[in-house]
């Protein structure tokens, strides 16, 4: 694996890093410590800046007007964009745009016109409705929401849980079982409009994070036209799974970014805080914590970029992504924990971002597939011979 | 869920003894109509105590003076704040009057819901 950054990557990383420090962090200081959005005027101003810099919607495919960045560069930039208080779940408050719901790239032109293009312009917001009360880690079996044909329409009945952003969404992608006997091949993806009768955002679920809160949804005889099927009938699981695997790379990079920010604070504080006549940094106990932090950060970054490069190479990258996800989420928790310990009481106060990162990073070991499921995926590939410990010498 | 707490009367000798913790609160008139929904966040100098005291003095008017309050200690005050505003939208068809005053922070998601509720054929979302 070659970790030399290209000139373009170096320029992008530097530009985004400066933007976070000069624009995002000063704007964030004005918010409540649990704040999750900028004021409309500041948000609009920053979007104008990213658009003028040619950095808006960088991860969107070029055929839809985006920058078509490769996965490795996306990972590098996600590490930078997450380095502020709200950065784990609201990196740069979305002012760099986003890729929207990737499944819509596979939809019909009619659906793209109605949902994808407005999403990419920030005019419409969608949610991703996969997990259910019966489980999120094994969606193929856990999906009990049913869709039954009724003339040219489908009737949806069931519920979803842990769905972020549904209360403010205009539409959502909802995965429902269309063939109860077909297992993974019996799931279909539908676009459901928020104002379709029978659709209800039942409640907000309050969790450790201060933004992107999950909701619970119910569907009671929601009539969805056949033209709202995304991809093939029965092809929903493959659509969902591809996005879940791919998303684990920026997800991991964001954890690395927050760990980097926590480590930077820990080093700075340990050099200035004096106890018993000496700075904290002179104590071996503190030095070792800083070194363990750095080891965790570099290991996570290496694994994340290795997964990203594998994805860019076009080879299967599920194993590498699972390893990056486990290591980056667990390591970030350890780094933030040590940074809090170094800061003492200040570390757990809302004066600093550490307490928010500490809460929010805990979710990362569960979200997008828990650590145990990632280990299960890796074990399966090791035992089947699909993954090996031997160094790759190419073919 | 809505804030299912009993209203408390504003009482100058006892109200200042409210907890100085993070949380959410509602200010109401004598009939129990919600006039304002707020939160005591990480920047509140005296938490719920400071926020409620300050709001009781600011919210309401001659027609509907603020006289009651209720609160909930809650560390996840921001998501609870959103939830209470959404519940009020659904129950009353709109936000409490004092939340619509210029300069009041209303999260974007709640404003989007307001726009949808006020649209032709708009309906309650919950």
């Amino acid at each position: 694996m070659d970790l030399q950054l290209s000139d373009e990557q170096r320029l992008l990383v530097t530009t985004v890093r400066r933007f976070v420090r000069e624009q995002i962090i000063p704007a964030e200081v004005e918010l409540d410590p649990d704040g999750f959005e900028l004021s409309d005027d500041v948000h609009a101003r920053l979007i104008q800046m990213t658009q003028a810099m040619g950095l808006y919607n960088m991860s969107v495919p070029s055929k839809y007007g985006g920058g078509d960045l490769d996965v490795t560069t996306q990972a590098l930039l996600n590490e930078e964009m997450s380095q502020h208080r709200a950065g784990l779940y609201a990196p740069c408050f979305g002012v760099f745009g986003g890729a929207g719901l990737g499944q819509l790239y596979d939809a019909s032109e009619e659906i793209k016109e109605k949902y994808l293009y407005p999403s990419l312009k920030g005019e419409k917001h969608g949610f991703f409705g996969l997990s259910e009360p019966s489980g999120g880690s094994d969606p193929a079996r856990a999906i009990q929401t049913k869709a039954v044909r009724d003339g040219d329409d489908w009737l949806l009945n069931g519920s979803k849980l842990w769905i972020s952003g549904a209360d403010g969404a205009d539409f959502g992608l909802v995965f429902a079982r269309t063939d109860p006997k077909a297992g993974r091949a019996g799931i279909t993806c539908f676009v459901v409009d928020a104002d379709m009768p029978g659709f209800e955002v039942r409640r907000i679920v309050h969790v450790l994070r201060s933004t992107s809160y999950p909701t619970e949804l119910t569907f009671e005889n929601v009539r969805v036209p056949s033209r709202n099927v995304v991809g093939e009938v029965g092809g929903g699981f493959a659509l969902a799974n591809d996005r879940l695997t791919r998303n684990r790379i920026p997800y991991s990079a964001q954890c690395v970014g927050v760990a980097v920010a926590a480590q930077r604070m820990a080093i700075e504080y340990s050099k200035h805080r004096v106890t018993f006549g000496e700075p904290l940094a002179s104590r071996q106990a503190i030095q070792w914590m800083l070194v363990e932090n750095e080891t965790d950060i570099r290991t996570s970054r290496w694994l994340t970029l290795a997964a990203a490069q594998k994805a860019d190479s076009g080879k299967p990258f599920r194993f590498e992504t699972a390893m990056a996800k486990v290591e980056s989420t667990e390591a970030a928790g350890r780094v933030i924990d040590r940074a809090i310990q170094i800061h003492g009481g200040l570390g757990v106060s809302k004066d600093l971002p550490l307490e928010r990162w500490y809460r929010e990073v805990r979710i990362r070991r569960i979200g997008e597939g828990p650590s145990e499921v990632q280990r299960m995926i890796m074990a399966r590939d090791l035992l089947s011979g699909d993954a090996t410990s031997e160094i790759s010498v190419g073919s | 869920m809505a804030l299912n707490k009993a209203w408390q009367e504003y009482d100058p000798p006892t109200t200042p003894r409210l907890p100085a913790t993070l949380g959410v609160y509602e200010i109401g008139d004598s009939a129990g109509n919600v006039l304002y929904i707020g939160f005591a966040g990480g920047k509140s100098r005296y938490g719920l105590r400071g926020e409620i005291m300050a709001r009781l003095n600011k919210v309401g008017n001659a027609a509907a003076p603020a006289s009651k309050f209720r609160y909930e200690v809650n560390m996840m005050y921001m998501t609870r704040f959103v939830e209470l505003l959404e519940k009020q939208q659904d129950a009353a068809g709109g936000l409490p009057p004092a939340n619509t005053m210029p300069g009041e922070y209303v999260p974007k998601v709640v404003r989007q819901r307001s726009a949808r509720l006020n649209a032709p054929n708009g309906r309650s979302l919950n």
Side-chain angles (χ1 to χ4, degrees):
Chain A
M1 189 178 69
D2 181 9
L3 273 182
Q4 287 291 322
L5 303 192
S6 67
D7 288 345
E8 187 191 11
Q9 287 172 327
R10 208 181 305 276
L11 180 64
L12 283 169
V13 166
T14 310
T15 305
V16 172
R17 182 176 297 168
R18 191 181 305 136
F19 187 87
V20 170
R21 292 180 185 178
E22 295 178 1
Q23 304 296 334
I24 297 294
I25 293 175
E28 189 175 53
V29 166
E30 303 299 319
L31 307 179
D32 181 88
D34 276 18
F36 55 84
E37 60 190 5
L38 299 170
S39 64
D40 288 350
D41 54 335
V42 173
H43 193 255
R45 178 174 62 78
L46 295 184
I47 285 181
Q48 275 182 353
M49 287 180 75
T50 61
Q51 286 173 333
M53 292 189 290
L55 300 179
Y56 190 72
N57 277 351
M58 286 180 286
S59 52
V60 173
S62 52
K63 66 189 280 197
Y64 303 118
D68 210 9
L69 277 190
D70 57 56
V71 183
T72 305
T73 312
Q74 285 182 44
L76 291 166
L77 298 187
N78 268 277
E79 182 180 325
E80 297 299 326
M81 288 180 195
S82 61
Q83 293 186 32
H84 60 100
R85 191 190 291 259
L88 203 51
Y89 281 97
C92 289
F93 299 101
V95 301
F96 284 94
L101 291 163
Q103 288 76 15
L104 291 175
Y105 298 143
D106 294 321
S108 65
E109 194 52 40
E110 184 184 356
I111 288 183
K112 283 179 188 163
E113 285 286 342
K114 193 171 174 191
Y115 303 102
L116 175 64
Y117 304 141
S119 300
L120 295 177
K121 289 184 206 156
E123 295 165 0
K124 279 190 176 180
H125 300 278
F127 65 82
F128 183 74
L130 181 69
S131 296
E132 301 202 357
S134 53
S137 297
D138 181 15
R141 289 187 189 85
I143 289 178
Q144 292 176 10
T145 295
K146 283 184 188 141
V148 177
R149 268 197 191 278
D150 186 52
D152 283 342
D153 301 331
W154 292 82
L155 284 180
L156 265 65
N157 281 283
S159 59
K160 296 282 176 186
L161 190 60
W162 315 119
I163 311 302
S164 301
D167 56 333
D170 302 284
F171 70 95
L173 295 183
V174 177
F175 294 83
R177 189 166 291 286
T178 44
D179 184 343
K181 294 176 188 160
R184 291 183 170 201
I187 294 165
T188 301
C189 177
F190 297 88
V191 181
V192 172
D193 285 304
D195 59 1
M196 283 180 171
F199 169 69
E200 184 185 348
V201 180
R202 193 162 165 259
R203 65 177 178 123
I204 288 175
V205 187
H206 301 283
V207 294
L208 287 172
R209 66 184 183 230
S210 305
T211 184
S212 288
Y213 48 83
T215 60
E216 182 174 353
L217 316 176
T218 56
F219 305 85
E220 208 175 304
N221 288 323
V222 178
R223 183 170 289 279
V224 182
S226 289
R227 62 177 179 275
N228 279 27
V229 170
V230 181
E232 300 294 321
V233 172
F237 183 77
L239 271 178
N241 210 27
D242 182 61
R243 169 201 135 119
L244 289 172
T245 306
R246 207 164 278 277
N247 267 11
R248 284 178 192 129
I249 297 173
Y251 195 80
S252 301
Q254 289 156 8
C255 293
V256 178
V258 167
V260 168
Q263 168 78 328
R264 190 164 55 234
M265 290 176 66
I267 290 174
E268 195 67 23
Y269 188 75
S270 68
K271 288 201 276 193
H272 289 99
R273 173 70 169 167
V274 174
T275 58
F276 305 104
E278 294 286 338
L280 282 179
S282 69
R283 315 286 180 198
Q284 190 182 54
I286 302 297
Q287 292 170 359
W288 286 21
M289 280 198 257
L290 295 175
V291 171
E292 283 163 1
N293 275 357
E294 196 62 25
T295 309
D296 274 334
I297 288 167
R298 292 183 187 216
T299 310
S300 319
R301 179 187 291 131
W302 187 272
L303 291 171
T304 301
L305 293 177
Q309 289 198 346
K310 195 83 184 284
D312 283 331
S313 75
K315 294 176 186 158
F317 57 101
R318 185 181 56 183
F319 182 90
E320 286 76 10
T321 304
M323 187 172 277
K325 203 268 180 185
V326 169
E327 180 57 23
S328 64
T329 56
E330 296 187 358
R334 292 192 295 269
V335 171
I336 296 163
D337 185 73
R338 292 187 199 107
I340 285 177
Q341 196 66 18
I342 290 168
H343 280 81
L346 197 53
V348 290
S349 78
K350 283 195 180 286
D351 292 355
L352 299 182
L354 292 166
E355 68 83 30
R356 179 165 174 179
W357 292 336
Y358 185 73
R359 281 186 282 119
E360 293 188 338
V361 84
R362 181 64 186 85
I363 301 170
R364 292 275 167 146
R365 285 164 51 196
I366 299 169
E368 301 286 327
S371 292
E372 292 70 24
V373 171
Q374 303 309 315
R375 288 188 167 96
M376 196 172 80
I377 290 169
M378 287 187 278
R380 198 164 53 203
D381 284 357
L382 283 171
L383 294 169
S384 68
D386 286 347
T388 172
S389 309
E390 290 167 11
I391 194 162
S392 170
V393 291
S395 55
Chain B
M1 68 177 77
L3 193 53
N4 292 322
K5 301 269 183 157
W7 287 106
Q8 298 184 37
E9 296 289 338
Y10 175 45
D11 176 21
T14 59
T15 303
R17 288 190 226 134
L18 289 170
T21 57
L22 307 178
V24 291
Y25 63 92
E26 292 179 348
I27 304 287
D29 63 17
S30 56
N33 299 307
V34 178
L35 301 175
Y36 182 77
I37 296 172
F39 68 88
K43 288 189 172 179
S44 304
R45 188 171 283 184
Y46 299 108
L48 283 166
R49 180 196 305 158
E51 292 296 320
I52 291 173
M53 293 289 287
R55 282 292 164 182
L56 278 166
N57 292 327
K58 274 172 73 176
V59 172
N61 54 43
S67 63
K68 297 170 186 281
F69 65 90
R70 54 189 176 187
Y71 65 89
E72 176 182 292
V73 173
N74 195 322
M75 298 301 113
M76 299 314 298
Y77 54 87
M78 198 57 96
T79 56
R80 187 74 171 115
F81 173 59
V82 172
E83 182 178 44
L84 291 180
L85 290 172
E86 291 185 359
K87 288 292 171 191
Q88 183 68 14
Q89 280 180 320
D90 296 335
L95 295 174
N99 286 91
T100 62
M101 302 300 284
E104 286 295 335
Y105 171 58
V106 178
K108 195 173 179 183
V109 61
V110 177
R111 283 183 276 136
Q112 286 168 339
R113 289 177 102 253
S114 289
R116 204 174 297 143
L117 282 169
N118 293 330
N121 304 320
R123 66 177 182 88
S124 170
L125 297 171
N126 283 340

